[in-house]
Amino acid sequence: MLSKISHLGVAVRSIEETLPFYRDVLGMKLTGTEEVPSQMVRVAFLTVGESNIELLEPTSPESPVAKFLEKNGPGIHHVAYGVEDIEAAIASLTESGARMIDAVPRIGAHGAKIAFVHPKSSGGVLTELCQSH
Ligand code: CMX
């Protein structure tokens, strides 16, 4: 069902303030920044080898990321897995008793179809399914 780890999401208060660490200190490549209105976040994508880090900055106090920052401060927010067929993956997880936050995919960064599994049914890790094409 899963094809790879697509990216790790990291909640930050400010992309501008955090970017120098990832880009200049760690030497990761910035591949783009984008606003994702459906999630009330601005994101920056950085790559190292075949792996990606997504920095997430809230654009509204109502953003899930704003709530996360308020409670936990900055840090790892979610793990995203690539899937070939997100509708089939949602159906399979639902069938297995997982609690989906999104029963129907939403559009995320890069126009990908995304859906989240509630951390209460995934061992405390907010889990994202991501179909990029
Ligand atoms: N990782 C692990 N646990 C998390 C979490 C996270 N990122 N966010 C919240 N939780 C936990 C809370 O700590 C809380 O646990 P306790 O009940 O033990 O205290 C529980 O989940 C419920 O949290 P809450 O604060 O009552 O509920 P919220 O209103 O914050 O909603 C969640 C939580 C996961 C349903 C919501 O954040 C959500 O729908 N997330 C999916 C969308 C999202 O995160 N979008 C941003 C990223 C977008 C992108 O990548 O493009």
Side-chain angles (χ1 to χ4, degrees):
M1 180 171 69
L2 308 180
S3 55
K4 61 177 182 178
I5 291 179
S6 164
H7 60 267
L8 301 180
V10 177
V12 302
R13 293 207 169 89
S14 160
I15 287 175
E16 194 188 350
E17 284 172 17
T18 314
L19 200 50
F21 173 73
Y22 284 90
R23 186 189 51 201
D24 307 331
V25 179
L26 293 180
M28 293 177 72
K29 186 166 182 255
L30 175 68
T31 54
T33 57
E34 174 179 346
E35 190 158 334
V36 184
S38 69
Q39 302 292 328
M40 293 176 274
V41 289
R42 200 160 73 85
V43 303
F45 268 97
L46 296 123
T47 61
V48 52
E50 294 176 356
S51 304
N52 302 293
I53 296 286
E54 177 187 43
L55 303 181
L56 301 151
E57 175 189 302
T59 53
S60 153
E62 297 307 311
S63 167
V65 174
K67 291 185 185 168
F68 179 90
L69 286 167
E70 207 174 287
K71 188 169 178 185
N72 308 286
I76 295 224
H77 179 263
H78 66 264
V79 177
Y81 297 96
V83 292
E84 294 294 329
D85 180 344
I86 196 164
E87 281 86 1
I90 291 171
S92 166
L93 279 158
T94 305
E95 173 78 18
S96 305
R99 182 171 152 198
M100 295 301 304
I101 293 170
D102 303 298
V104 175
R106 300 196 221 185
I107 300 302
H110 307 321
K113 286 178 165 181
I114 62 171
F116 285 89
V117 183
H118 200 285
K120 290 294 177 199
S121 74
S122 50
V125 178
L126 179 60
T127 299
E128 178 183 345
L129 307 174
C130 182
Q131 182 185 333
S132 56
H133 52 269

